[in-house]
Amino acid sequence: MTPAPLDIPDEIRAQVYAHALAAFPAECCGYLIGPRDGDRVDAAIACTNAQDQGQHPTHPERGADTGFVIAGAELFAFARAFDGDHPPRII
């Protein structure tokens, strides 16, 4: 069964776009959260791209313009978010 498409409000898409513009030419990182049983996204969580810090587990030599990695406290927050009422819906 194919899941229903998620509704992403315009203001959240604008936040993602602004984060991407601010990060350019580096990859932007983050995820969108929403109700576990819902069909909408209600927040964008921007993360720092730690690729330039050499924290990528398999390709630390790549630059932030060709890769991304979420690390440190942001990685732990991301992992814990899956247990909450508003888990990551799109990464």
Side-chain angles (χ1 to χ4, degrees), residues 13-58:
R13 283 190 276 129
Q15 290 172 15
V16 171
Y17 184 70
H19 179 59
L21 282 176
F24 184 81
E27 297 271 342
C28 66
C29 298
Y31 52 99
L32 305 180
I33 62 172
R36 181 173 301 284
D37 296 323
D39 62 355
R40 65 183 168 84
V41 165
D42 55 18
I45 310 297
C47 295
T48 302
N49 185 348
Q51 181 70 37
D52 277 344
Q53 300 165 13
Q55 295 192 37
H56 196 284
T58 60

Side-chain angles (χ1 to χ4, degrees), residues 37-91:
D37 296 323
D39 62 355
R40 65 183 168 84
V41 165
D42 55 18
I45 310 297
C47 295
T48 302
N49 185 348
Q51 181 70 37
D52 277 344
Q53 300 165 13
Q55 295 192 37
H56 196 284
T58 60
H59 294 287
E61 74 284 355
R62 289 173 59 185
D65 60 332
T66 61
F68 74 89
V69 64
I70 300 171
E74 290 178 338
L75 178 60
F76 287 119
F78 170 68
R80 284 189 290 253
F82 285 95
D83 296 328
D85 293 335
H86 284 71
R89 305 300 304 268
I90 299 174
I91 302 168

